[in-house]
Amino acid sequence: MRFLTVMDPLPSVNPATDTTFAILEEAQARGHENLVCGLTDLRCEGRRGFARARPATVRRPSADDPSHAAVGAVVDVAFDDVDVVWMRKDPPVDDAYLSACLLLDRHDRSRTVVLNDPIGLRVAHEKLWALFADDLGPATMVSSSPRDLVAFVRARGRGVLKPLHLMGGIGVLAFSADDQNLRSAADLLTEDGRRPALAQEYLPEARHGDKRVIVLDGEPVGAVLRVPRNDEVRANLHAGAAAVRAEVDEHDRRICARLAPHLRELGLYLAGIDVIGGKLTEVNVTSPTGVQQIDRLDARAGPDRVIARIVDGAERKARRARGE
């Protein structure tokens, strides 16, 4: 098959942890052709979408050769001439990202599968979408008013403030009710009331870790616990958290059972839910990661690997789309 992956520049990813790298590696091992491009390489001409892409090969770095990727000359490829388009660009979900999702709509669904579906990516805001099931998570408020956010935290004694558009724990701050920086942080995150930010009840279980559960076609297939450093409130791997082996438990299954019909309806094939103390805090759909850590910590092999199951499902969807 032919795979086109829309992503951050391939040389910039970490081959030891990045899920997009693992997808490319698994596809390559199966004999599929990998093409890569960025958001600005997409265009449409009427109803047809195209990408200026580069053939890519990947490898695990070694002491003798630290490189992990090589790309060829630019080729112009129609979306309808590839089997699977992987939309794996990291946030921010800004105008450029949303415009790329609109361009990715310009494919023939009887010829090409886009994972995740660009319609679903436009709908399922990672911090806001799952609030339709607010009983699954901690108390949450979204507001452009610094006063609202400050009052929310003070009413609960402790809380977390988050920007809505970033990833990897960037801008996530925890405060007690009497913290003198609380109002200033609310002003900063809302740009003095010009954009919304999120306030969330602080979950003490966060000190023990934030569980990332990989969800494939609505089903939980593996989990990793991200344990924050002693000097950090954030449990993101980008922020230096440690990856610890974890099991999918009854709380995770209950959350997935509620979300699964909606994920499938929106074409959100590959997702990562974040769970703290049995409560849902985010649903990651743009470029969820954690797959390499799960496969490594669980010592998974062969078809039981999460990455193998991801590519298996993509192949099935591509064959089904073409009526094979």
Side-chain angles (χ1 to χ4, degrees):
M1 292 186 178
R2 202 178 198 197
F3 287 0
L4 169 66
T5 302
V6 184
M7 62 180 295
D8 288 299
L10 182 54
S12 73
V13 306
N14 184 342
T17 60
D18 190 82
T19 295
T20 305
F21 178 90
I23 292 172
L24 293 168
E25 182 182 47
E26 182 70 14
Q28 179 177 293
R30 298 179 184 211
H32 301 320
E33 178 185 2
N34 280 321
L35 301 164
V36 298
C37 72
L39 298 185
T40 58
D41 297 313
L42 306 177
R43 74 181 194 282
C44 74
E45 298 176 16
R47 65 177 180 81
R48 300 191 70 204
F50 299 85
R52 293 185 177 91
R54 294 176 181 271
T57 57
V58 295
R59 63 183 300 279
R60 294 285 166 173
S62 65
D64 296 330
D65 185 355
S67 66
H68 63 265
V71 296
V74 172
V75 294
D76 203 47
V77 58
F79 298 160
D80 294 348
D81 291 335
V82 300
D83 298 280
V84 179
V85 178
W86 295 94
M87 179 47 159
R88 293 285 306 175
K89 176 68 180 66
D90 284 345
V93 179
D94 52 14
D95 285 346
Y97 185 96
L98 293 172
S99 294
C101 286
L102 290 167
L103 291 173
L104 287 172
D105 280 340
R106 306 273 68 84
H107 70 280
D108 182 345
R109 289 176 179 265
S110 69
R111 296 175 59 86
T112 302
V113 174
V114 180
L115 303 173
N116 285 329
D117 192 301
I119 296 173
L121 291 174
R122 296 196 295 270
V123 170
H125 188 285
E126 296 188 319
K127 293 181 174 64
L128 302 183
W129 173 69
L131 290 177
F132 72 85
D134 62 356
D135 58 299
L136 296 178
T140 301
M141 169 184 278
V142 179
S143 176
S144 297
S145 165
R147 180 179 298 176
D148 287 346
L149 301 175
V150 169
F152 178 93
V153 173
R154 286 180 174 163
R156 286 159 180 80
R158 195 172 185 191
V160 177
L161 299 185
K162 300 180 182 181
L164 295 181
H165 61 295
L166 298 178
M167 61 165 284
I170 297 171
V172 175
L173 305 165
F175 296 95
S176 57
D178 59 353
D179 194 311
Q180 294 183 340
N181 292 306
L182 174 57
R183 179 57 188 262
S184 177
D187 289 340
L188 180 66
L189 291 179
T190 64
E191 296 180 3
D192 286 327
R194 290 191 294 273
R195 69 183 301 161
L198 181 146
Q200 204 162 65
E201 169 191 3
Y202 178 77
L203 299 173
E205 297 91 341
R207 289 308 316 161
H208 305 298
D210 180 340
K211 186 189 291 187
R212 163 61 55 84
V213 181
I214 297 298
V215 183
L216 198 58
D217 255 348
E219 298 296 327
V221 295
V224 58
L225 190 66
R226 300 166 299 173
V227 179
R229 299 180 347 180
N230 290 333
D231 61 348
E232 262 283 3
V233 69
R234 299 172 298 172
N236 304 83
L237 297 176
H238 287 291
V244 176
R245 188 176 184 276
E247 300 282 353
V248 174
D249 63 23
E250 61 183 76
H251 298 295
D252 309 326
R253 292 189 181 91
R254 175 176 57 88
I255 292 168
C256 289
R258 285 281 296 281
L259 299 181
H262 307 282
L263 291 169
R264 294 181 186 122
E265 181 182 8
L266 289 171
L268 297 172
Y269 167 67
L270 176 57
I273 65 170
D274 293 342
V275 182
I276 299 175
K279 293 188 175 183
L280 176 69
T281 60
E282 290 187 17
V283 179
N284 298 270
V285 297
T286 53
S287 55
T289 193
V291 168
Q292 290 206 57
Q293 291 88 344
I294 293 169
D295 282 344
R296 192 156 49 241
L297 290 167
D298 288 355
R300 298 197 185 196
D304 186 50
R305 292 171 299 136
V306 175
I307 191 59
R309 296 179 65 174
I310 289 169
V311 178
D312 283 346
E315 291 170 341
R316 286 195 298 271
K317 287 179 179 293
R319 288 193 292 267
R320 192 179 306 128
R322 294 174 180 261
E324 297 176 7

PDB file of all heavy atoms in Angstrom, residues 14 128 163 182 192 198 251 279 293 298:
ATOM      1  N   ASN A  14      11.479  12.167  17.736  1.00  0.00           N
ATOM      2  CA  ASN A  14      12.327  11.289  18.532  1.00  0.00           C
ATOM      3  C   ASN A  14      12.005   9.840  18.178  1.00  0.00           C
ATOM      4  O   ASN A  14      10.927   9.346  18.489  1.00  0.00           O
ATOM      5  CB  ASN A  14      12.066  11.535  20.025  1.00  0.00           C
ATOM      6  CG  ASN A  14      12.979  10.717  20.925  1.00  0.00           C
ATOM      7  OD1 ASN A  14      13.589   9.733  20.503  1.00  0.00           O
ATOM      8  ND2 ASN A  14      13.088  11.118  22.172  1.00  0.00           N
ATOM      9  N   LEU A 128     -11.990  19.946  25.253  1.00  0.00           N
ATOM     10  CA  LEU A 128     -13.391  20.345  25.437  1.00  0.00           C
ATOM     11  C   LEU A 128     -14.404  19.309  24.978  1.00  0.00           C
ATOM     12  O   LEU A 128     -15.517  19.249  25.512  1.00  0.00           O
ATOM     13  CB  LEU A 128     -13.666  21.657  24.691  1.00  0.00           C
ATOM     14  CG  LEU A 128     -12.818  22.855  25.068  1.00  0.00           C
ATOM     15  CD1 LEU A 128     -13.268  24.079  24.281  1.00  0.00           C
ATOM     16  CD2 LEU A 128     -12.874  23.128  26.551  1.00  0.00           C
ATOM     17  N   PRO A 163      -4.110  26.284  29.045  1.00  0.00           N
ATOM     18  CA  PRO A 163      -4.486  26.878  27.761  1.00  0.00           C
ATOM     19  C   PRO A 163      -5.216  25.836  26.933  1.00  0.00           C
ATOM     20  O   PRO A 163      -5.013  24.625  27.123  1.00  0.00           O
ATOM     21  CB  PRO A 163      -3.141  27.249  27.130  1.00  0.00           C
ATOM     22  CG  PRO A 163      -2.175  26.279  27.736  1.00  0.00           C
ATOM     23  CD  PRO A 163      -2.670  25.978  29.126  1.00  0.00           C
ATOM     24  N   LEU A 182      -2.150  33.387  41.179  1.00  0.00           N
ATOM     25  CA  LEU A 182      -3.326  32.822  40.535  1.00  0.00           C
ATOM     26  C   LEU A 182      -3.991  33.820  39.598  1.00  0.00           C
ATOM     27  O   LEU A 182      -4.280  33.490  38.437  1.00  0.00           O
ATOM     28  CB  LEU A 182      -4.319  32.348  41.599  1.00  0.00           C
ATOM     29  CG  LEU A 182      -5.677  31.843  41.108  1.00  0.00           C
ATOM     30  CD1 LEU A 182      -5.516  30.691  40.125  1.00  0.00           C
ATOM     31  CD2 LEU A 182      -6.543  31.410  42.290  1.00  0.00           C
ATOM     32  N   ASP A 192      -5.849  38.615  29.158  1.00  0.00           N
ATOM     33  CA  ASP A 192      -6.662  39.672  29.764  1.00  0.00           C
ATOM     34  C   ASP A 192      -8.111  39.629  29.288  1.00  0.00           C
ATOM     35  O   ASP A 192      -8.725  40.665  28.995  1.00  0.00           O
ATOM     36  CB  ASP A 192      -6.067  41.052  29.491  1.00  0.00           C
ATOM     37  CG  ASP A 192      -4.815  41.305  30.321  1.00  0.00           C
ATOM     38  OD1 ASP A 192      -4.743  40.800  31.450  1.00  0.00           O
ATOM     39  OD2 ASP A 192      -3.913  42.010  29.825  1.00  0.00           O
ATOM     40  N   LEU A 198      -9.016  27.086  30.461  1.00  0.00           N
ATOM     41  CA  LEU A 198      -9.715  26.031  31.184  1.00  0.00           C
ATOM     42  C   LEU A 198      -9.217  25.962  32.623  1.00  0.00           C
ATOM     43  O   LEU A 198      -8.011  26.026  32.876  1.00  0.00           O
ATOM     44  CB  LEU A 198      -9.490  24.702  30.468  1.00  0.00           C
ATOM     45  CG  LEU A 198     -10.136  23.438  31.029  1.00  0.00           C
ATOM     46  CD1 LEU A 198     -10.515  22.499  29.893  1.00  0.00           C
ATOM     47  CD2 LEU A 198      -9.174  22.712  31.992  1.00  0.00           C
ATOM     48  N   HIS A 251     -12.061   1.381  35.242  1.00  0.00           N
ATOM     49  CA  HIS A 251     -12.360   2.800  35.013  1.00  0.00           C
ATOM     50  C   HIS A 251     -12.107   3.164  33.547  1.00  0.00           C
ATOM     51  O   HIS A 251     -12.916   3.853  32.923  1.00  0.00           O
ATOM     52  CB  HIS A 251     -11.494   3.674  35.922  1.00  0.00           C
ATOM     53  CG  HIS A 251     -11.718   3.460  37.376  1.00  0.00           C
ATOM     54  ND1 HIS A 251     -12.903   3.754  38.000  1.00  0.00           N
ATOM     55  CD2 HIS A 251     -10.905   2.968  38.339  1.00  0.00           C
ATOM     56  CE1 HIS A 251     -12.812   3.472  39.291  1.00  0.00           C
ATOM     57  NE2 HIS A 251     -11.617   2.987  39.518  1.00  0.00           N
ATOM     58  N   LYS A 279     -10.534   9.264  36.549  1.00  0.00           N
ATOM     59  CA  LYS A 279     -11.321  10.329  35.932  1.00  0.00           C
ATOM     60  C   LYS A 279     -10.680  10.795  34.630  1.00  0.00           C
ATOM     61  O   LYS A 279      -9.457  10.963  34.541  1.00  0.00           O
ATOM     62  CB  LYS A 279     -11.475  11.508  36.898  1.00  0.00           C
ATOM     63  CG  LYS A 279     -12.316  11.177  38.118  1.00  0.00           C
ATOM     64  CD  LYS A 279     -12.605  12.411  38.951  1.00  0.00           C
ATOM     65  CE  LYS A 279     -13.546  12.083  40.102  1.00  0.00           C
ATOM     66  NZ  LYS A 279     -13.894  13.289  40.877  1.00  0.00           N
ATOM     67  N   GLN A 293       6.120   3.286  24.179  1.00  0.00           N
ATOM     68  CA  GLN A 293       6.336   2.999  25.598  1.00  0.00           C
ATOM     69  C   GLN A 293       5.526   1.778  26.033  1.00  0.00           C
ATOM     70  O   GLN A 293       6.019   0.930  26.783  1.00  0.00           O
ATOM     71  CB  GLN A 293       5.954   4.215  26.439  1.00  0.00           C
ATOM     72  CG  GLN A 293       6.892   5.402  26.274  1.00  0.00           C
ATOM     73  CD  GLN A 293       6.499   6.323  25.130  1.00  0.00           C
ATOM     74  OE1 GLN A 293       5.716   5.962  24.255  1.00  0.00           O
ATOM     75  NE2 GLN A 293       7.041   7.521  25.145  1.00  0.00           N
ATOM     76  N   ASP A 298       5.402  -3.431  28.134  1.00  0.00           N
ATOM     77  CA  ASP A 298       4.654  -4.695  28.188  1.00  0.00           C
ATOM     78  C   ASP A 298       5.409  -5.861  27.561  1.00  0.00           C
ATOM     79  O   ASP A 298       4.923  -7.002  27.598  1.00  0.00           O
ATOM     80  CB  ASP A 298       3.312  -4.547  27.464  1.00  0.00           C
ATOM     81  CG  ASP A 298       2.314  -3.705  28.227  1.00  0.00           C
ATOM     82  OD1 ASP A 298       2.624  -3.307  29.368  1.00  0.00           O
ATOM     83  OD2 ASP A 298       1.212  -3.451  27.694  1.00  0.00           O
TER      84      ASP A 298
END
